[in-house]
Amino acid sequence: MEYLPRTYSVLSVAAAEKFHTSLRELLPNGRYDPVHAVYDASEARRRMLETAYDVILISAPLPDEFGARLAQHAAEHTGAGVLMMVKSEYYSDVSEQLTPCGVLTLQKPTSPQMMLQCMELLCATRERLRRMEQKSASIEDKMAEIRLVNRAKWALIEKRGLTEQEAHRFIEKEAMDRCVPKRVIAEEILR
């Protein structure tokens, strides 16, 4: 598989401007863009509805909630890699709660090197999810085609009195003779 450099979009959720500024300074230019900063969970939820992010970073606590519910929501409803940063006294409880949801948890304060490693893990997670989404879409397309062809077969059975095998053979032969997908033949039959 050929490596193609990718740019990752980031949603940074933290109450303190200092966190957002430090993050922007830390992240390599061109690798993470855009980096959107929001200051509370409700604004983060609005942004997640508007934009699909690759990485979501949450630095707890937030002004309107601690942030664990937001992290869980992001992991369940987006394809982003999610990182929750908490003080060391909360780390074990939050990690135990969020790890089963697919959220990476990190103690703060942390080193720039650890933060960059976590970002790479989140990007790797995002790539795995992206491939799974593509496979899922492909399977859904195939299933839709099968349903369409089956509907066309039943139309042939009802209108022309063919058996199911004859209807299937008819659709396959037409598709092969005309060098088009079975879906095209099925659509024509149904029209």
Side-chain angles (χ1 to χ4, degrees):
M1 182 161 72
E2 185 180 333
Y3 172 74
L4 297 172
R6 186 183 289 274
T7 302
Y8 296 92
S9 58
V10 178
L11 178 62
S12 172
V13 187
E17 178 63 36
K18 183 179 176 187
F19 179 84
H20 301 298
T21 304
S22 299
L23 182 65
R24 282 192 182 101
E25 290 171 358
L26 176 68
L27 297 178
N29 289 337
R31 175 93 167 132
Y32 301 98
D33 186 52
V35 178
H36 291 151
V38 296
Y39 299 89
D40 59 44
S42 36
E43 178 64 18
R45 283 186 175 89
R46 278 192 293 277
R47 285 289 184 104
M48 285 187 277
L49 287 173
E50 297 167 0
T51 307
Y53 291 98
D54 295 312
V55 176
I56 299 173
L57 305 176
I58 303 165
S59 179
L62 300 171
D64 53 349
E65 68 174 73
F66 182 73
R69 284 193 324 241
L70 175 63
Q72 189 171 358
H73 173 83
E76 290 173 357
H77 296 95
T78 74
V82 183
L83 172 66
M84 176 85 178
M85 300 179 69
V86 296
K87 290 183 179 178
S88 59
E89 62 257 29
Y90 303 117
Y91 175 78
S92 60
D93 290 339
V94 172
S95 180
E96 186 178 313
Q97 175 190 353
L98 294 179
T99 298
C101 303
V103 176
L104 185 61
T105 311
L106 183 63
Q107 289 184 40
K108 62 180 184 178
T110 189
S111 69
Q113 184 61 34
M114 179 61 78
M115 188 65 187
L116 287 173
Q117 287 176 352
C118 285
M119 290 298 291
E120 288 301 317
L121 284 170
L122 293 169
C123 291
T125 300
R126 178 63 190 123
E127 289 306 317
R128 281 190 66 223
L129 289 170
R130 197 182 316 272
R131 284 192 304 275
M132 288 171 46
E133 289 166 353
Q134 289 170 344
K135 284 181 185 176
S136 176
S138 173
I139 290 169
E140 289 172 13
D141 290 345
K142 294 267 189 221
M143 289 176 61
E145 181 177 327
I146 289 168
R147 284 192 292 273
L148 184 68
V149 169
N150 282 338
R151 283 185 21 231
K153 281 196 286 190
W154 285 109
L156 288 172
I157 290 168
E158 288 176 6
K159 302 290 183 193
R160 292 193 179 173
L162 301 177
T163 67
E164 185 176 357
Q165 288 177 339
E166 291 169 336
H168 182 77
R169 199 171 320 122
F170 175 82
I171 293 170
E172 275 189 337
K173 184 171 178 355
E174 281 294 307
M176 286 192 316
D177 289 349
R178 294 173 44 193
C179 296
V180 297
K182 290 189 280 186
R183 173 185 35 79
V184 172
I185 302 301
E187 287 169 346
E188 289 176 2
I189 290 168
L190 292 171
R191 268 189 247 125

